[in-house]
Amino acid sequence: MTTELLAPLDLAFWHLESADHPMHLGALAVFTAAPGTTPGEGVPELLATRAAAVPRLRMRVRDVLLPVGGAAWAVDKDFDVHRHVRLLPLPAGDFAAQAELLAGELMERPLERGVPPWEMYVLTPGDPGPAAAPENGRQFAVLVKMHHALADGMRAVAIGAGIFDQIADVRAAGARRARPVPPRSWLPGPWQAAGLARDRLEDLRRALGIGASVVRASRFDPRGVAALTAGSSGTRQLATAVLDLTDVQLVRKAAGGSANDVLLATVAGALRRWMLERGEPLPVAPPRALVPVSRRRPDSPPGSANKLSAYLLGLPVAEADARARLDAVRGAMDRNKSEGPARGAGAFALLADALPPLAHRLGAPLAGNAARVLFDILVTSVPLPRSTLSLGGCPLRALYPMAPLARGQSLAIALSSYGGQVYVGLVADGKAVPDLARLARGMNEELDELLRIAP
């Protein structure tokens, strides 16, 4: 792997980035150190070794002459993994609170350009104090930041999972068995050329349909929740919540639909509680959530290209009854799924494939500002491996995913299931949403409310 052009959507994410809106994904993984060992001891060296063994993490983005406005992945000949893996001791105090605070600050900073666009930080605990629980001083965390141009959520998990003992061992065994792949000609045959032409015509037809849906769905005078439409301060704040997956499944069995429907209804209820406590009037038009959908197939070839579409979902925050909120979410998601992820305004990410590279470079500011007329909040689910994971023999206890904020957005919520729990990472503009912890607590309160409908 030497040079590889950025796919259209990757190029869009690369050019959408600004100082106030860094376009990286994140994850805060919490581990428990073995008894009698120092939390985080030897972890930076282990991470550096394993990250350096992942070919994609040695690649940087560089401009190319052709196509005009394009960019490519190329091996960083001066790659130094120690520029990307750092140890950061936390100050004294509660480990979880200190880790959340520092993670929010680190998420503010755009990744350095000109080098592979990723970072890992090992966060080790300070003195927890005499009143802290014994396990508080035995935990450490790893914060991973990875540019959205490098990978979508599923691909980021696949790349980042290489740091874990189980995946690293399998990868090492696979590398020993790997065989060279014979080169293929880049010139398409006549049947391939005809197929490419048909695919291109179909892409253009689909793009016109999506474009028309985007125009119809756009709100040129959006009047939503003030905190969610506030101007950007460039600051970031992180809050976390943990939901019991068994409770989610109990609600799903009682009400029907999917576990994701229950989680989206939980988000809607948490937003309602948060707005009422703030004294904000409930909006007449429901705030819109962008719900990403992966188009990546399990048997798809390796590569970093983002393969994303999305649904738009009105969150029924004005509805007072929790069961009615869930039914509204379920009905709306059923309609979205019946149309499919390649139709409707939520599929606007697919328009990237219809634009030339120069349009992405020149049109990024306009495209970035367009997000606010389509949606108010990002709510995404990030799949994790089902197996038990560890790092250097230290078991993974929690993993909180984090999503980037688009221009005009003040809140993004990401969810991942692991070990019978749903871990929720809430990322917000620090000045627009200073009470993010209250919103996080609302997730648990709303799920408790939904449990009342379960038998």
Side-chain angles (χ1 to χ4, degrees), residues 69-150:
W73 292 105
V75 174
D76 184 0
K77 297 179 180 179
D78 299 318
F79 176 71
D80 179 3
V81 71
H82 296 97
R83 292 183 62 178
H84 301 265
V85 180
R86 299 160 192 168
L87 175 66
L88 289 180
L90 296 174
D94 179 76
F95 173 78
Q98 294 293 342
E100 284 185 13
L101 181 62
L102 182 55
E105 294 175 358
L106 292 171
M107 287 295 288
E108 293 178 10
R109 307 175 188 175
L111 292 163
E112 182 181 354
R113 297 205 168 201
V115 298
W118 63 273
E119 294 173 347
M120 295 183 189
Y121 296 88
V122 180
L123 311 181
T124 56
D127 182 3
E135 65 271 13
N136 199 290
R138 291 177 48 213
Q139 294 180 324
F140 68 92
V142 175
L143 174 66
V144 180
K145 293 170 55 178
M146 193 175 296
H147 202 285
H148 213 329
L150 180 62

Side-chain angles (χ1 to χ4, degrees), residues 166-262:
Q166 293 77 10
I167 287 84
D169 292 343
V170 171
R171 177 172 285 161
R176 288 192 293 270
R177 295 193 299 268
R179 297 180 179 178
V181 178
R184 295 185 298 173
S185 172
W186 59 272
L187 290 172
W191 294 110
Q192 290 175 306
L196 289 172
R198 286 194 300 271
D199 290 345
R200 185 60 177 166
L201 287 173
E202 175 60 24
D203 288 344
L204 289 174
R205 184 192 67 78
R206 182 175 59 188
L208 289 173
I210 295 172
S213 297
V214 168
V215 172
R216 289 193 298 268
S218 296
R219 301 167 301 177
F220 297 101
D221 182 24
R223 296 178 183 178
V225 183
L228 301 184
T229 57
S232 173
S233 68
T235 61
R236 293 293 180 271
Q237 183 179 174
L238 170 68
T240 61
V242 183
L243 307 176
D244 192 314
L245 185 57
T246 300
D247 291 345
V248 173
Q249 295 293 358
L250 284 173
V251 176
R252 179 194 65 79
K253 290 178 182 177
S258 68
N260 198 48
D261 293 341
V262 177

Side-chain angles (χ1 to χ4, degrees), residues 225 271-276 279-285 287 317-320:
V225 183
L271 283 170
R272 174 185 170 85
R273 293 168 183 272
W274 174 69
M275 284 185 273
L276 290 174
E280 287 203 21
L282 296 175
V284 176
V317 298
E319 173 57 58

